[in-house]
Amino acid sequence: MKRIGIIGVGEIGRAMVVGLCDEVDTSPEVFLSPRGARTAAELSSRYENVQVCADNQEAVDRSDVVIIAVRGQDRHEALAGLRVDDDKIVVNVMSGVANDDLRQTLGTDAVLVRAIPLPSVRERRSVTVTFPSHPVTDALFERLGGAQPVADEAAFNVFSTLTGTLTTHYAYLAALTSWAVGQGIAPADADRYVRGLFQGVGRALSDETRSLHQLAADHETPKGNNERIRTTWFDAANSQALDKALDGLLVDL
Ligand SMILES: NC(=O)C1=CN([C@@H]2O[C@H](COP(=O)(O)OP(=O)(O)OC[C@H]3O[C@@H](n4cnc5c(N)ncnc54)[C@H](OP(=O)(O)O)[C@@H]3O)[C@@H](O)[C@H]2O)C=CC1
C-alpha cells in the first residue's frame, strides 16, 4: 500500500483515515497536514502509522498519493506554492472543483483523480465515485467500501449532485418526527419509531434483485396508506420541483 498524505484534516479527511486504519491488518503510512490540529493530533495518537507533518509541503513530499480535502474556498491558500512532483497521484475530493482548475492551482503534471468519499468510508461501507479510473485510487477506495469509476467529468457531476440530497433525506425524517410530536406523541417515541422504520427501509435497499420501483410496490397495498401519501404528496408538481433543484445544482457544479 502506498504512503498517503492528506491536506485538510476535517470531517472527510478524518473519515478516510479511520476507514484506512481502524482494525485492519495492514494500513498505509499516513501523513497529515497540520491544520485541523485537534483532529490530526487525535488521529496520530490513535494510530501509530499516522503522523502529523510540520506543513502541507512535508505531507506532500512524504506521500505517493495526496488527498486534497480542504473546503473549496480554502484551496488557494492551502495549495499556493505547493510543489507536487509529476510522479505523485493527487485525489481531489473537493466538491465543485474540476481537475483542470486544480491542475492550474498546483501547476503539476501529476495524475489527478476526482473522488466523492462519503462519511461512511469511516466504516468502509461507502462506494466512492471516481474519475478518471486509476488502479491505485481504485484500490484505495476498494479498501473503503468500493470504487465506482465513471466515464467522464459530466457523469461525475451527476453523481456529485445525487450526494447533495443526503441531508434532505435526514430533514425529511425529522419533519415526519415533528409532525408526530405535533400530534401529541412523545419526542423520544416518535424519534425511535421513525429511525427504526427507515432503518428497515435502508436494509431492504441491499436486496439488489428488486428494482427501486419494485421495492416501492412491495411496500404498497393498492389504494392503501402508502399509495395515498405517495400520490398526494410526492405528486407530479413535487417531483418536478425536485428535478428542477437537481438540474440547478448540476448546472452550478
Ligand atoms: N463532509 C462530507 O461529507 C464531504 C466533503 N467533501 C469535500 O471535502 C472537503 C472537506 O470537507 P469537510 O471535511 O466536510 O470540511 P471540514 O471543514 O470539516 O475540513 C476542512 C479541513 O481543512 C483544513 N484546512 C483549512 N485550510 C487549510 C490549509 N490552508 N491547509 C491545510 N488544511 C486546511 C481545516 O482546518 P481548520 O479546522 O484548522 O480550519 C479543516 O480541518 C470539501 O471540499 C468538501 O466539498 C466531499 C465529499 C463529502
Side-chain angles (χ1 to χ4, degrees):
M1 192 65 198
K2 304 271 185 180
R3 291 168 300 170
I4 294 175
I6 301 188
I7 309 294
V9 189
E11 277 312 307
I12 209 68
R14 180 218 297 263
M16 291 188 70
V17 173
V18 173
L20 287 169
C21 300
D22 215 49
E23 295 177 2
V24 293
D25 291 337
T26 51
S27 44
E29 280 189 90
V30 179
F31 300 97
L32 304 178
S33 62
R35 277 280 293 275
R38 190 190 295 177
T39 306
E42 179 212 316
L43 291 168
S44 68
S45 64
R46 198 154 135 201
Y47 306 112
E48 59 181 22
N49 55 305
V50 175
Q51 293 176 47
V52 185
C53 295
D55 53 32
N56 292 353
Q57 186 65 58
E58 187 192 345
V60 172
D61 291 344
R62 298 183 73 179
S63 309
D64 308 298
V65 177
V66 181
I67 296 165
I68 311 286
V70 294
R71 293 175 292 259
Q73 67 267 28
D74 293 336
R75 68 188 185 281
H76 295 295
E77 187 206 328
L79 307 176
L82 214 56
R83 196 187 57 258
V84 178
D85 295 341
D86 296 349
D87 60 348
K88 308 270 182 197
I89 296 167
V90 177
V91 183
N92 167 17
V93 309
M94 293 177 291
S95 173
V97 179
N99 276 344
D100 281 352
D101 179 325
L102 181 61
R103 191 174 296 290
Q104 253 186 341
T105 307
L106 291 176
T108 181
D109 285 328
V111 168
L112 302 188
V113 175
R114 287 188 80 178
I116 318 173
L118 296 173
S120 47
V121 292
R122 190 185 293 116
E123 295 99 30
R124 297 183 283 275
R125 279 202 189 156
S126 170
V127 172
T128 299
V129 170
T130 61
F131 171 78
S133 178
H134 187 282
V136 170
T137 50
D138 288 352
L140 172 73
F141 288 111
E142 282 300 336
R143 288 174 74 114
L144 294 170
Q148 186 170 335
V150 295
D152 52 38
E153 224 157 5
F156 183 91
N157 285 337
V158 171
F159 284 98
S160 190
T161 300
L162 292 178
T163 67
T165 63
L166 293 185
T167 60
T168 301
H169 183 68
Y170 285 116
Y172 168 68
L173 303 190
L176 296 179
T177 306
S178 297
W179 176 84
V181 171
Q183 301 300 311
I185 304 297
D189 290 346
D191 186 276
R192 190 179 320 121
Y193 191 72
V194 168
R195 284 173 191 256
L197 205 53
F198 285 91
Q199 276 166 7
V201 167
R203 277 194 294 277
L205 288 175
S206 61
D207 175 5
E208 291 180 14
T209 62
R210 289 185 287 168
S211 70
L212 293 176
H213 285 300
Q214 187 61 49
L215 282 170
D218 290 351
H219 283 78
E220 198 168 273
T221 308
K223 303 207 185 313
N225 299 345
N226 271 272
E227 184 188 285
R228 176 166 166 164
I229 295 295
R230 180 175 60 77
T231 54
T232 54
W233 180 69
F234 199 48
D235 57 6
N238 203 348
S239 180
Q240 278 163 16
L242 175 61
D243 283 350
K244 196 172 163 206
L246 294 170
D247 290 348
L249 175 54
L250 181 60
V251 166
D252 287 343
L253 281 178

